[in-house]
Amino acid sequence: MSAEARVKFLLNGHPQEVPCEDARILLDLLRDDLHLTGTKRGCDLGTCGCCTVLVDGRPTLSCLTLARLTEGRSVTTIEGLTPPQGLSAVQRAFVDLGATQCGFCTPGFVVTATALLEENPRPTRAEIERAISGNLCRCTGYIKIVDAIAAASRSSG
Amino acid sequence: MHLDPFELHRPTTVDETVRLAGALAGRFDFLAGGTDLLPNYKMHLNLKPHLVALEDVDELRGFSADRLGAMARLADLERDPAFAATWPSVADAVGEVATPLVRASGTVGGNLLLETRCFFFNQSYFWRASLGFCLKADGDRCHVVPQKEVCYATHSGDLAPALMVVDAEVEVAGPAGRRRLPLADLYDAKGDGVRRLTLAPGELLVAVHLPRAARGRRGRYKKLRVRPAYDFPELGVAVAGRWTGDRVEELRIAVGGAEPRPRRFDTLTDALVGRTLDDARLRELAEAIGKSVRPVHNTFLLPDYRRRMVAVYVRRAVAEAREGTAG
Ligand SMILES: Cc1cc2nc3c(=O)[nH]c(=O)nc-3n(C[C@H](O)[C@H](O)[C@H](O)COP(=O)(O)OP(=O)(O)OC[C@H]3O[C@@H](n4cnc5c(N)ncnc54)[C@H](O)[C@@H]3O)c2cc1C
Ligand code: SF4
């Protein structure tokens, strides 16, 4: 598209307006243009969930989202879920229970888990497992991840 | 992976969309949730210079017990218990599509019009260039059945069979106006893995209509796949029916994930209306359907296995549908 093409959206609560071609993928815009590298590029094809962000509160695969279609919406990345001081309840639980190994999939899991607890503050273990079934951990440390999400659900509210 | 440049259009009404589609004839794709189209674009599969995004078209959104907008999101359908109670086969299938993250963006229309799949097609440009391109993208031969100039790519959507057994109809809009057709007729019986739909060029899927007469059918969708949390169907069997005691009042069975189009088996099932479907008859029916389905070797599991599983899945799906509660 024309060099003038831009996108305007709310990024982690702050208005943002940046140049953006029509074919720009949200993940690339976040990482390469805005240098928010907390959101990870895993498979880049929608299979692994590493690139999950919230768009208007909804978990969204940023690798399969055109950046310009977030015009006027609110985008929250892992950076935006982290309070200015300290960690969110989900992040705290991941640390306390050792729910990370190499850590690459962690931002995606934290974003997905945050959206789950927003919708369902007291999920059962089965509900947690189902909710994270689109996030892959290649170190296969799923038990601790489920434990951490369950602990975060108990610690909040 | 970056996408090659294209121009993005955002119409807001069905009329505007259809006009745009007419003006861009042959040089565009519709974009719904993008969970099928964008992975294919990343692999350089049949790129177009224009994308027409459908998410601002109000008429395509939302759903009720009678109508699913083409842009209704699978995750929203999944969260509606009343819908699941009314249309059990459809609810089963929705919950089995991909993963919760894909369902958050994926739509009903995109699922019904999903590109057919084949392990020689769903590969990177480099991979395909190394082997030699095939009929479905950039080439002129088939690696699966080289003797023929036909594509056998597999219909791999979960919703189609589940909606076909409740006699769903689709509403489409195009340059010639609007029309309604049975969902089963959306898939081209004379086509192949490339020419797979009966839509005219530029035709847009607006909605799926669910007939009142099919409410209350008991239903089930059973899916064979490698990883239960993730994979596309290697086979999907949908059943909906009504029974009085053991006597069949109505019965529909559709099979997807096995051939270039999903298919219903009305001749076989109509012959059972008014009769008792005991174990022996169910076995006979399942074997007959199994014999007529012909998967080829273009997905993960071997075709002979998939074919034998047709009969097994038909038996299980019918048995479970019969036990299930009606809406
Ligand atoms: C990891 C992964 C796993 C998956 N597993 C499954 C699975 O198990 N089962 C399954 O069924 N699918 C699966 N999919 C495919 C896909 O996510 C779903 O089928 C989804 O419902 C497609 O919807 P969409 O809105 O994203 O489609 P899009 O990608 O936006 O569109 C798909 C196609 O339909 C066309 N189209 C869309 N809407 C319209 C319309 N209204 N009118 C005319 N044309 C239209 C588009 O041009 C495109 O060709 C998977 C995808 C991924 C990434
Ligand atoms: S069935 Fe043949 S023509 Fe069709 S996608 Fe596969 S290899 Fe290509």
Side-chain angles (χ1 to χ4, degrees):
Chain A
M1 253 260 81
S2 71
E4 299 306 310
R6 302 176 78 75
V7 64
K8 218 165 132 179
F9 60 109
L10 213 57
L11 177 59
N12 295 330
H14 304 290
Q16 187 85 47
E17 188 177 345
V18 280
C20 180
E21 288 163 9
D22 284 2
R24 195 78 171 142
I25 290 281
L26 180 60
L27 174 64
D28 300 334
L29 183 91
L30 292 172
R31 288 183 57 88
D32 302 345
D33 299 349
L34 299 168
H35 307 297
L36 289 175
T37 52
T39 304
K40 300 301 179 206
R41 180 179 294 120
C43 70
D44 220 6
L45 291 168
T47 306
C48 75
C50 286
C51 69
T52 306
V53 299
L54 301 178
V55 177
D56 288 346
R58 205 178 164 103
T60 301
L61 294 163
S62 64
C63 78
L64 297 185
T65 302
L66 292 184
R68 294 206 71 197
L69 293 181
T70 62
E71 179 77 31
R73 297 178 187 274
S74 164
V75 176
T76 309
T77 66
I78 185 71
E79 289 87 352
L81 289 181
T82 313
Q85 256 90 47
L87 298 172
S88 73
V90 174
Q91 289 170 323
R92 182 80 260 153
F94 268 65
V95 173
D96 288 349
L97 292 168
T100 64
Q101 290 182 57
C102 82
F104 194 82
C105 67
T106 309
F109 272 102
V110 170
V111 174
T112 303
T114 303
L116 166 70
L117 297 182
E118 190 66 37
E119 184 185 347
N120 177 4
R122 291 282 179 276
T124 62
R125 242 184 130 79
E127 286 167 341
I128 295 173
E129 285 171 8
R130 188 170 168 86
I132 62 169
S133 62
N135 293 80
L136 284 181
C137 167
R138 288 303 190 196
C139 310
T140 68
Y142 292 105
I143 291 175
K144 287 181 173 178
I145 293 172
V146 176
D147 288 347
I149 299 170
S153 88
R154 286 189 300 269
S155 74
S156 58
Chain B
M1 277 171 262
H2 291 217
L3 297 175
D4 279 9
F6 51 73
E7 190 173 335
L8 181 65
H9 305 264
R10 298 184 71 168
T12 57
T13 64
V14 168
D15 283 351
E16 190 191 347
T17 309
V18 167
R19 269 201 307 278
L20 203 53
L24 298 172
R27 294 178 295 131
F28 81 98
D29 277 315
F30 290 121
L31 177 72
T35 60
D36 180 47
L37 192 79
L38 296 180
N40 286 348
Y41 267 41
K42 288 188 173 187
M43 294 189 173
H44 281 249
L45 292 164
N46 302 322
L47 303 180
K48 303 280 166 48
H50 297 269
L51 280 194
V52 177
L54 300 175
E55 67 171 52
D56 300 332
V57 185
D58 268 340
E59 192 187 333
L60 307 184
R61 291 211 207 110
F63 65 92
S64 68
D66 304 313
R67 176 189 184 275
L68 309 177
M71 287 297 288
R73 307 269 172 187
L74 301 179
D76 294 336
L77 267 179
E78 189 183 7
R79 283 169 172 70
D80 189 329
F83 182 85
T86 314
W87 304 108
S89 67
V90 186
D92 275 355
V94 168
E96 297 266 307
V97 174
T99 69
L101 292 173
V102 172
R103 296 197 291 274
S105 300
T107 65
V108 168
N111 194 274
L112 293 178
L113 300 174
L114 183 77
E115 190 54 271
T116 47
R117 298 180 64 83
C118 165
F119 55 38
F120 294 100
F121 172 70
N122 299 102
Q123 300 288 354
S124 69
Y125 189 85
F126 175 78
W127 193 103
R128 291 182 296 117
S130 309
L131 181 74
F133 296 115
C134 80
L135 275 172
K136 197 164 162 61
D138 310 308
D140 56 9
R141 63 203 182 99
C142 174
H143 298 301
V144 179
V145 188
Q147 310 81 301
K148 292 202 183 157
E149 274 193 30
V150 172
C151 170
Y152 292 84
T154 307
H155 168 88
S156 305
D158 289 303
L159 259 52
L163 283 163
M164 280 163 65
V165 295
V166 292
D167 305 329
E169 293 190 340
V170 289
E171 178 182 346
V172 300
R178 296 211 185 197
R179 64 189 178 108
R180 242 164 112 146
L181 65 158
L183 171 61
D185 295 345
L186 182 65
Y187 304 101
D188 194 346
K190 297 194 203 77
D192 68 355
V194 176
R195 289 171 308 280
R196 58 207 175 83
L197 301 168
T198 58
L199 289 179
E203 262 185 330
L204 167 76
L205 179 65
V206 174
V208 178
H209 295 276
L210 296 161
R212 272 170 192 264
R215 280 196 192 189
R217 284 187 194 162
R218 294 179 187 171
R220 196 86 174 91
Y221 175 73
K222 296 210 58 98
K223 171 173 179 174
L224 171 69
R225 53 175 163 176
V226 181
R227 295 170 298 177
Y230 259 93
D231 286 311
F232 284 91
E234 294 276 342
L235 169 69
V237 174
V239 171
R242 254 188 259 271
W243 286 263
T244 306
D246 276 344
R247 210 171 65 116
V248 176
E249 304 291 347
E250 280 181 312
L251 184 61
R252 294 249 187 264
I253 298 179
V255 173
E259 295 176 332
R261 73 183 170 107
R263 270 202 292 149
R264 226 163 59 182
F265 295 86
D266 292 357
T267 315
L268 290 170
T269 51
D270 285 349
L272 291 167
V273 171
R275 303 174 74 183
T276 309
L277 191 57
D278 55 22
D279 284 352
R281 256 194 211 128
L282 176 54
R283 196 166 284 273
E284 242 174 66
L285 169 71
E287 294 299 330
I289 294 175
K291 276 211 185 74
S292 98
V293 175
R294 297 183 188 280
V296 296
H297 193 195
N298 65 354
T299 63
F300 189 82
L301 298 173
L302 292 174
D304 185 46
Y305 174 70
R306 285 160 71 209
R307 189 168 178 185
R308 277 190 281 164
M309 290 307 276
V310 174
V312 175
Y313 274 54
V314 167
R315 273 204 318 272
R316 289 184 190 163
V318 171
E320 288 176 27
R322 206 157 69 174
E323 296 306 309
T325 45

